[in-house]
Amino acid sequence: MTKVKKGFMVFIAVVLSICSFSMTAYADDNTGIMPLYDYTSVASSGLAINNSKATASVYCSGYSGTTKKITAKTCIQRKLGLIWIKMDIGTSDDYWHDTANNYYLITSHSKTLTSHGTYRAKTEYTVTASNGDTEEITVTSQEVDF
């Protein structure tokens, strides 16, 4: 092999080594790591299944004196291949709607499941501050097999 070919091969090897370098970061689902919001301190969605009864838990807390209203829209989803399908929960839009006219919202809703699969709860919050500003937060629960 000529000197130019050897030099070119070494160059390509170095470039490929640099390009293939990657760094992976992990966050444990149970640590409560979440983005920082202006009017919300905690926003969560949980799902528990016991004897075919799925219970979605909703919890959102803002700041006393800063947060004046929290609305939540919660659904249960079932995994179908690579996508999540909203389940029929018996409401017109298949969401439970909740409102708290203060700085925290805690509630839960239940639905009996009729088929086995992987499920999760999804909650979309709208948090309103005393000055009228809003922020929207969407959270999903852990996946639960039934």
Side-chain angles (χ1 to χ4, degrees), residues 58 70-74 96-100 105 107-109:
V58 175
I70 300 171
T71 62
K73 186 170 108 170
T74 304
W96 290 294
H97 296 269
D98 300 290
T99 301
L105 171 66
T107 191
S108 64
H109 301 280

Side-chain angles (χ1 to χ4, degrees), residues 81-102:
L82 298 174
I83 61 172
W84 291 92
I85 305 297
K86 189 169 43 166
M87 301 301 299
D88 178 2
I89 60 169
T91 63
S92 62
D93 62 353
D94 293 322
Y95 284 99
W96 290 294
H97 296 269
D98 300 290
T99 301
N101 289 308
N102 57 36

Side-chain angles (χ1 to χ4, degrees), residues 1-14:
M1 218 187 292
T2 68
K3 219 176 193 181
V4 173
K5 284 185 182 178
K6 280 184 184 178
F8 181 72
M9 296 301 276
V10 169
F11 173 75
I12 293 296
V14 169

